Amino acid sequence: MGALEPVALVLDGYIEDAPVPAPGDEYRATAAFRLIHSPTDHAADEMVLPCLVTDPVLVRTALEDLEEGDLLRVEGVLMLPGGTPDGVLRLRVEALEVLSPAPIREIEPDTVDRYGPYVIVSGNTHSTGADPVQMWTAAGVWVGIAPGPAAVQDMITAYEARTNGT
């Protein structure tokens, strides 16, 4: 049985963390990031895919323009374990398009999470000690802000009631 063949692929997903130079790349000739892809918007179907960018123009775009939470369409070659020198599955990105930039945040974000089809940004406000949570739909529609993570489900229920007319 030979090495596994790479697979051409196009995926939409959110950047989990801001792109960084690949480990050991002191000249910033490569960029690495992780893409969260969910074909069904259910958390159980999500996958986090390591991505590597080597094209100089795309590296510059990734390192200077992309942010955590941006929705991207990436095209590339999925390098399967056994087909890479380090044995790590990753997508070698050959093209990328920003479908939707990350929402502007009014709070200092500590984390950006997905909750099914919702994007949740939580952080803290040092003046009040509160832990506010901001939420958008995956399409970028504002859902609201809640005083803390415990109110996320209530916020979703209220938003869905408003949008479904119930």
Side-chain angles (χ1 to χ4, degrees):
M1 194 159 131
L4 299 173
E5 293 296 318
V7 176
L9 182 48
V10 177
L11 293 173
D12 293 349
Y14 291 89
I15 295 179
E16 183 176 45
D17 295 309
V20 296
D25 179 7
E26 60 192 66
Y27 301 107
R28 299 172 59 98
T30 58
F33 61 91
R34 297 186 326 174
L35 189 74
I36 301 172
H37 171 72
S38 179
T40 63
D41 282 332
H42 293 287
D45 295 331
E46 285 184 358
M47 75 171 171
V48 178
L49 183 63
C51 296
L52 184 67
V53 183
T54 58
D55 176 271
V57 173
L58 293 179
V59 168
R60 182 174 177 208
T61 297
L63 294 176
E64 295 177 8
D65 298 337
L66 300 181
E67 295 182 24
E68 173 184 337
D70 286 348
L71 175 61
L72 302 181
R73 174 163 294 141
V74 294
E75 296 180 38
V77 178
L78 185 63
M79 306 301 294
L80 301 171
T84 61
D86 57 4
V88 175
L89 176 130
R90 75 172 46 91
L91 181 67
R92 189 180 67 225
V93 176
E94 296 175 348
L96 61 84
E97 174 186 0
V98 177
L99 299 176
S100 178
I104 296 173
R105 299 177 183 114
E106 296 175 9
I107 58 174
E108 185 65 31
D110 285 339
T111 60
V112 175
D113 294 311
R114 289 286 308 249
Y115 192 93
Y118 299 96
V119 177
I120 301 170
V121 179
S122 60
N124 57 54
T125 54
H126 302 291
S127 61
T128 64
D131 188 21
V133 175
Q134 297 184 73
M135 186 182 300
W136 291 263
T137 67
V141 176
W142 174 252
V143 174
I145 188 164
V152 166
Q153 188 58 55
D154 291 338
M155 190 166 44
I156 290 171
T157 301
Y159 173 78
E160 290 177 352
R162 283 193 316 266
T163 59
N164 294 332
T166 58

